[in-house]
Amino acid sequence: MPLDPTEEPPRSRIVAGVRALESAVAELPEAVVLRYGILYGPGTWYAPGGAVAAALAGDPGARFLGSTAADGSVGSFVHVADAAEAAVRALEWPPGAYNVVDDEPAPGHAWLPVLAEALGVPAPGRTEGRAPWARGAVNTRARALGWAPARPSWRTGFADQGR
């Protein structure tokens, strides 16, 4: 079913929803919001044998809602173990919003070939363009409070997934 051109794109509605939630939480005296990057590692879509591997391998039944476009859209990643560590540490953080991401935001044309190699599936060809909302994130606030990802880059994190 084609999208109604007068309707706001789904991703835009999600972003608006996140903003509304963060605004509501900001009114609470003790609220901490963790903005996770794209989760990878055991049990995720990005793990070996996961939905991204199936989508990149051309499986028409792959149940993956993200993008496998090797374009200029910038994303930020975080390994699930690093995300869990941040959640525990955040119990002691002052109120506010914190990005929980690794140290290397990257465009799809940089990270997708590395992930495909780690998963043992074909990498998609590079494409032009980018999603305007896909700009990555930095973890400065979380790092200032002592959190540091054990996997500071998706480059080594993707490669270590199979071990």
Side-chain angles (χ1 to χ4, degrees):
M1 177 174 178
L3 290 176
D4 178 346
T6 63
E7 192 175 308
E8 190 176 5
R11 180 92 46 185
S12 296
R13 288 193 305 264
I14 292 170
V15 171
V18 168
R19 285 188 183 131
L21 178 61
E22 287 184 2
S23 177
V25 169
E27 296 175 16
L28 300 172
E30 299 295 323
V32 171
V33 174
L34 301 180
R35 297 182 191 131
Y36 291 109
I38 299 168
L39 295 167
Y40 72 93
T44 70
W45 284 345
Y46 295 81
V52 174
L56 289 173
D59 178 353
R63 298 182 58 83
F64 174 60
L65 301 176
S67 174
T68 56
D71 63 9
S73 298
V74 177
S76 294
F77 289 87
V78 65
H79 190 279
V80 292
D82 290 331
E85 173 68 20
V88 171
R89 288 178 175 261
L91 295 171
E92 303 294 325
W93 291 350
Y98 300 87
N99 293 327
V100 178
V101 296
D102 72 14
D103 297 338
E104 192 178 355
H109 61 75
W111 67 262
L112 262 164
V114 175
L115 178 63
E117 182 178 342
L119 297 175
V121 296
R126 185 174 177 155
T127 58
E128 295 303 313
R130 73 186 261 320
W133 50 264
R135 61 186 187 278
V138 296
N139 59 24
T140 307
R141 290 193 72 211
R143 273 191 166 276
L145 293 170
W147 176 79
R151 291 150 203 88
S153 172
W154 49 268
R155 291 178 192 277
T156 53
F158 289 168
D160 291 342
Q161 287 192 99
R163 297 181 200 165

